[in-house]
């Protein structure tokens, strides 16, 4: 597939973040201490939705990639902060994927300035 | 439904914009001069997706309503500018719905500062 | 907006179901007994996503409205059954909106046969 | 990431289909003969949206994976048929990705019976 090379790394980071958020979402719902996980559950969903928007924007070469990636960076950072509060393996993985995605999105935004 | 009253007007504007963009999307695809409508088609899809994200954010009382509404305002303004170039009734309706939505989103952003 | 009249009632039911599911999603996350609400939380999200797909399909006059509405009817019925187990007002409202939407979708499917 | 192994192949096929559809969507909009591509443009968008729903369903271990994958198989088959009518490289790639995804979804559905 001849995707614009400039987007490849950021798309990859969004795809990994999407997977991590969806996996954390359903894993949180299966935890015994689910009342501790409501912040994660809410942010996992929002972060997954935002990543989907960014993936679509980059794959369709949208004129709003910059603004969308800026939003995703913000939401990913919030989701990472929340997930980092918990010791569950899925939360730790999600925090890392969100941090990577936030960084990739920030780099994308900077490159488009 | 006990939706947060502060969001009601903006959700309504997003719902109308979503409908106008989806109707314009499919109507553009049925126009004879479709080669003139490619900008509309692309932006109609993106604007509809962004409105869906904003509707979800407001209906779920997301902590990122402000950032999401700012993005939607930007995309709506671009979609309105593109649709305003055309005389098709669906484009004129879409331009108006996008302008209304951009304004409602800007007001929402301002109210959250 | 000149929407196809045949879809109006079903779109309206999907929009109400979307709102009820999103409202129930975030209300469940705020309940004290959130461990009882995990089934609702999961289904509320899925039902909202499915309704968004159906709204887009009808508003864009998709050739797959029938198949998509059939899926939505199935997911709405499951979400209604889950929400009906709980006495929270948001769950009761959501169960009713899901039942109405399932019925509207079934009618749509039948009308397209 | 500990994704359910049974879903891995189907998620991968959906991700490739999503990328191919989004790339075909924007490439069709840039073709000179865009009036020939309206069927592709419409189905590319719908197929991408359906794949996103399926990816989310599998990654969150939804109880409706079977029904959602059945829908995706139907939409992918239609999108493949449409794209296969055209000689553009992006259409040929998209047709192949859609056929692979339809097949992976059918296998998933069969395995869940």
């Amino acid at each position: 597939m001849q995707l614009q090379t400039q987007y490849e790394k950021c798309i990859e980071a969004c795809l990994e973040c999407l997977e991590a958020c969806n996996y954390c979402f359903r894993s949180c719902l299966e935890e015994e201490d689910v009342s501790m996980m409501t912040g994660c559950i809410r942010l996992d969903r929002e972060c997954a939705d935002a990543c989907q928007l960014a993936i679509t924007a980059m794959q369709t070469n949208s004129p709003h990639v910059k603004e969308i990636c800026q939003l995703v960076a913000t939401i990913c950072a919030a989701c990472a902060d929340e997930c980092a509060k918990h010791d569950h393996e899925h939360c730790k993985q999600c925090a890392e994927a969100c941090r990577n995605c936030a960084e990739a999105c920030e780099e994308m935004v900077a490159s488009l300035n």
Side-chain angles (χ1 to χ4, degrees), chain A residues 26-41:
Chain A
R26 66 115 157 165
S27 300
C28 283
L29 288 172
E30 292 165 5
E31 291 292 342
E32 283 188 37
D33 60 338
V34 64
S35 65
M36 304 293 291
M37 315 310 292
T38 55
C40 277
I41 292 167

Side-chain angles (χ1 to χ4, degrees), chain A residues 1-8 11 58-60:
Chain A
M1 196 69 50
Q2 307 96 317
L3 268 178
Q4 296 208 337
T5 324
Q6 64 176 134
Y7 293 152
E8 261 176 43
I11 291 173
M58 289 185 279
Q59 288 181 343
T60 59

Side-chain angles (χ1 to χ4, degrees), chain A residues 24-111:
Chain A
C24 189
F25 174 85
R26 66 115 157 165
S27 300
C28 283
L29 288 172
E30 292 165 5
E31 291 292 342
E32 283 188 37
D33 60 338
V34 64
S35 65
M36 304 293 291
M37 315 310 292
T38 55
C40 277
I41 292 167
R42 166 190 281 283
L43 282 164
D44 283 341
R45 185 203 175 173
E46 184 162 66
C47 197
D49 286 346
C51 284
Q52 284 191 331
L53 191 70
I55 292 162
T56 299
M58 289 185 279
Q59 288 181 343
T60 59
N61 200 25
S62 154
H64 297 106
V65 165
K66 188 178 152 187
E67 291 85 354
I68 291 170
C69 283
Q70 185 60 68
L71 175 70
V72 173
T74 301
I75 295 175
C76 279
C79 193
D81 286 349
E82 182 63 32
C83 285
K85 294 177 189 166
H86 305 283
D87 283 333
H88 302 300
E89 193 57 30
H90 54 83
C91 287
K92 287 201 252 180
Q93 287 178 336
C94 192
E96 191 188 342
C98 286
R99 291 233 182 279
N100 287 345
C101 189
E103 197 176 299
C105 285
E106 292 285 9
E107 281 172 25
M108 176 58 63
V109 171
S111 77

